[in-house]
Amino acid sequence: MLSATEERTQLQRVIGYFHGTVFLFSIIIGAGIFVAPKGVLKYSSLNVGVSLSIWAACAVVSVLAALSHAELGTTFPRSGAQYYFLKRSLGPFVAFCYLWINLFSTPAGIAARGLLLAGYLTQPFYPGCFAPEMPKKCLALAILWCLGILNARGVKEVTWFQTVSTAVKVAVLGFISVTGIFLLVRGRRENLARFEKAFDADVPDASQIAEAFLQGLYAYSGWGVLVRIAGELKSPSENIPKCVVTALTLVALIYLLVNVSYLAVLTPKEIMSSDAVAVTWVDRVIPSLQWAISLGVSSSIVSSLNCTVFSTSRLWYMASQEGQLPLILSTLNIRSCPVPAVIQMLIFASILIIPSDLILLISYVGFTDWILLGLMMIGLLKLRFQEPNLSRPYKVCLPFVFGTMATSLFLVLTPIIKSPQMYHVYVIIFILSGVLLYLPFVHFNWGSAYFNKITCFLQLLLNVSPTDDIDDTKYLMSRTLAL
């Protein structure tokens, strides 16, 4: 058994304020800003004013939700803090439901971004028409598995790749923003009229606004990643809230400028007819730079994808150590990467790529994410009253918590009540199906001998082994629960 000092050397607190902000900035700005404008416009009834207002409102909602969520990571500054918090506040079954939903929503988000990335890479080869679906899906599968190989190479390679791709995405979005504003100022009268009469189109109803919010909030998704890796942050009680405010403020400013830039060049109908809005935009402005924009946009999406694969594999790794996922997911290769967790995630994402529809996938992800956030806010309130003396270096204002809960209820219940869709039924059935797995395989631990045989086989096949500190981790967590 390793000592506490030796264990801590595996997860050192090396991420400070600057790098935490960069990491958060990197994972938020991915596919969303390049695909969500189409979905927001669609559910805003092509109303430019409503569309831009929703983008601004999504920024405010995301900041409130992220600051509320930050209390989880500052109270329990460890990797997989969301899972640990739910297990402590609402019990092991709710924590398992969180994992069960994550097993679906995270691969769905990865699949959506993989398809978008493939669309941007293939579109320049099919000028004037849509790229065929088969090459896009094959390329998306290849990209995802290349990221899996990159993660298996270890943290150093992932960090290097992340730094380069983040620099490229900032340059591309800066170019789109500045060029669009310049064209708007020096542009034609009809482009300015699009903003002067921004609210003249039809106004969407409540269910459409809820769907538009889900599309816009998808572009801001990822703000909880610092809580997920809180065990590796320096001074998490200070840095998590500061990183959230800094990164989301910058992201909101960039998103608004990019949307204004799109609308300064393209009409709402042209945006709706485009599979790759940024490529269509540059084809109208500087056609010779279409390839450069495609590569730049691709680097932006792949950077966010890489962050998601990296952080989520750590969440599943921690849940496996706690016995709520198969033991094989908590094994590491020689480069300290939970390869089985990465492989499982990519298998699920690959299955979702084959029949997927991009906007529908975004609705899946947004719907489940806000269910989870609502559960966390309930747990936060329960723990406030149940354990009032628990050390909380950062305490969010209760109005923020209630506001986040109200937003969660609105985004989850309004579409179901106003315009129920089949995917709502699928998601609810999927969540409830977690009960069928929790009782036999987690609560009663049936089939453990059979899973042990599979674990041994996969360990040999993948050349992975359990970490030396599993027992120490369980001991420390049980001591924390006993306090």
Side-chain angles (χ1 to χ4, degrees):
M1 182 177 293
L2 297 177
S3 68
T5 303
E6 291 173 313
E7 180 185 352
R8 285 195 295 270
T9 61
Q10 296 185 8
L11 288 177
Q12 300 179 14
R13 296 190 180 277
V14 296
I15 303 175
Y17 165 71
F18 175 76
H19 290 99
T21 302
V22 170
F23 196 86
L24 186 57
F25 185 86
S26 174
I27 194 171
I28 293 176
I29 297 185
I33 189 56
F34 305 111
V35 66
K38 180 177 177 178
V40 173
L41 271 174
K42 174 183 176 181
Y43 293 111
S44 299
S45 302
L46 303 186
N47 190 312
V48 172
V50 171
S51 173
L52 293 176
S53 299
I54 286 175
W55 278 103
C58 284
V60 175
V61 169
S62 297
V63 170
L64 296 181
L67 288 175
S68 301
H69 193 251
E71 184 173 324
L72 280 59
T74 57
T75 305
F76 305 107
R78 60 195 316 138
S79 296
Q82 296 101 324
Y83 162 80
Y84 179 73
F85 169 81
L86 285 174
K87 190 175 181 182
R88 178 160 177 165
S89 61
L90 299 179
F93 174 68
V94 175
F96 179 80
C97 286
Y98 168 71
L99 292 172
W100 182 240
I101 294 173
N102 245 282
L103 289 172
F104 170 77
S105 63
T106 299
I110 291 173
R113 283 177 282 179
L115 282 171
L116 182 66
L117 176 57
Y120 272 96
L121 289 175
T122 55
Q123 190 60 49
F125 297 99
Y126 299 91
C129 62
F130 294 122
E133 288 298 311
M134 185 57 68
K136 285 169 56 177
K137 292 180 178 180
C138 290
L139 181 58
L141 291 172
I143 290 168
L144 293 188
W145 287 98
C146 285
L147 288 179
I149 294 172
L150 175 65
N151 274 265
R153 296 286 298 171
V155 177
K156 184 180 294 185
E157 283 77 5
V158 170
T159 304
W160 176 85
F161 180 82
Q162 200 64 28
T163 303
V164 174
S165 57
T166 300
V168 174
K169 81 166 70 176
V170 171
V172 170
L173 290 172
F175 171 77
I176 292 175
S177 301
V178 173
T179 304
I181 299 301
F182 175 79
L183 293 175
L184 184 63
V185 173
R186 300 286 298 273
R188 293 175 294 182
R189 181 63 188 172
E190 57 265 28
N191 291 347
L192 294 173
R194 202 173 298 149
F195 294 94
E196 292 173 353
K197 301 178 180 179
F199 292 93
D200 285 357
D202 295 335
V203 177
D205 59 27
S207 63
Q208 288 177 308
I209 290 176
E211 292 287 356
F213 260 98
L214 287 177
Q215 297 287 321
L217 289 169
Y218 171 75
Y220 288 94
S221 62
W223 42 255
V225 71
L226 293 184
V227 175
R228 188 168 290 182
I229 61 170
E232 298 166 85
L233 290 174
K234 297 177 182 177
S235 304
S237 60
E238 297 178 8
N239 285 329
I240 291 179
K242 286 167 60 178
C243 290
V244 164
V245 173
T246 304
L248 282 172
T249 300
L250 293 173
V251 169
L253 179 61
I254 290 174
Y255 279 7
L256 284 172
L257 291 176
V258 169
N259 274 281
V260 169
S261 179
Y262 288 158
L263 291 165
V265 176
L266 305 171
T267 65
K269 290 184 178 179
E270 287 173 333
I271 292 176
M272 288 300 303
S273 64
S274 172
D275 264 357
V277 180
V279 173
T280 305
W281 178 91
V282 78
D283 190 45
R284 183 70 58 83
V285 178
I286 312 174
S288 60
L289 287 181
Q290 188 182 77
W291 64 271
I293 292 295
S294 293
L295 290 176
V297 171
S298 300
S299 70
S300 177
I301 300 170
V302 78
S303 171
S304 180
L305 264 176
N306 195 45
C307 279
T308 302
V309 173
F310 181 82
S311 61
T312 304
S313 64
R314 271 61 182 175
L315 173 67
W316 294 3
Y317 164 82
M318 176 59 69
S320 173
Q321 287 191 331
E322 283 298 290
Q324 289 204 342
L325 286 178
L327 179 62
I328 188 63
L329 298 181
S330 61
T331 56
L332 303 175
N333 67 359
I334 59 174
R335 296 179 183 272
S336 299
C337 171
V339 170
V342 173
I343 291 176
Q344 175 176 302
M345 193 187 320
L346 295 180
I347 288 174
F348 288 176
S350 300
I351 293 171
L352 290 170
I353 279 177
I354 297 171
S356 61
D357 172 80
L358 201 55
I359 291 181
L360 190 58
L361 274 177
I362 292 174
S363 297
Y364 284 155
V365 175
F367 189 70
T368 54
D369 281 351
W370 283 91
I371 291 176
L372 292 175
L373 186 60
L375 283 175
M376 289 179 191
M377 294 302 102
I378 293 173
L380 190 151
L381 290 176
K382 180 184 176 185
L383 213 59
R384 283 277 187 96
F385 291 101
Q386 185 176 307
E387 301 185 46
N389 298 323
L390 183 67
S391 176
R392 294 178 175 87
Y394 162 78
K395 290 180 68 173
V396 67
C397 300
L398 285 181
F400 284 17
V401 178
F402 289 120
T404 303
M405 290 179 65
T407 304
S408 175
L409 287 173
F410 172 74
L411 294 176
V412 171
L413 295 180
T414 302
I416 295 177
I417 296 172
K418 289 285 187 178
S419 57
Q421 303 290 330
M422 280 306 298
Y423 80 82
H424 296 139
V425 178
Y426 296 151
V427 170
I428 292 172
I429 291 175
F430 179 83
I431 295 172
L432 294 177
S433 67
V435 180
L436 302 178
L437 290 175
Y438 175 78
L439 290 175
F441 297 115
V442 178
H443 186 72
F444 294 109
N445 199 26
W446 290 354
S448 58
Y450 177 73
F451 282 119
N452 287 339
K453 292 181 180 179
I454 296 177
T455 299
C456 292
F457 171 76
L458 290 176
Q459 279 185 249
L460 294 172
L461 178 65
L462 300 174
N463 193 24
V464 294
S465 62
T467 57
D468 295 329
D469 63 318
I470 287 181
D471 293 335
D472 288 335
T473 302
K474 289 185 177 180
Y475 171 74
L476 290 173
M477 293 181 79
S478 63
R479 285 291 303 275
T480 305
L481 282 170
L483 294 176

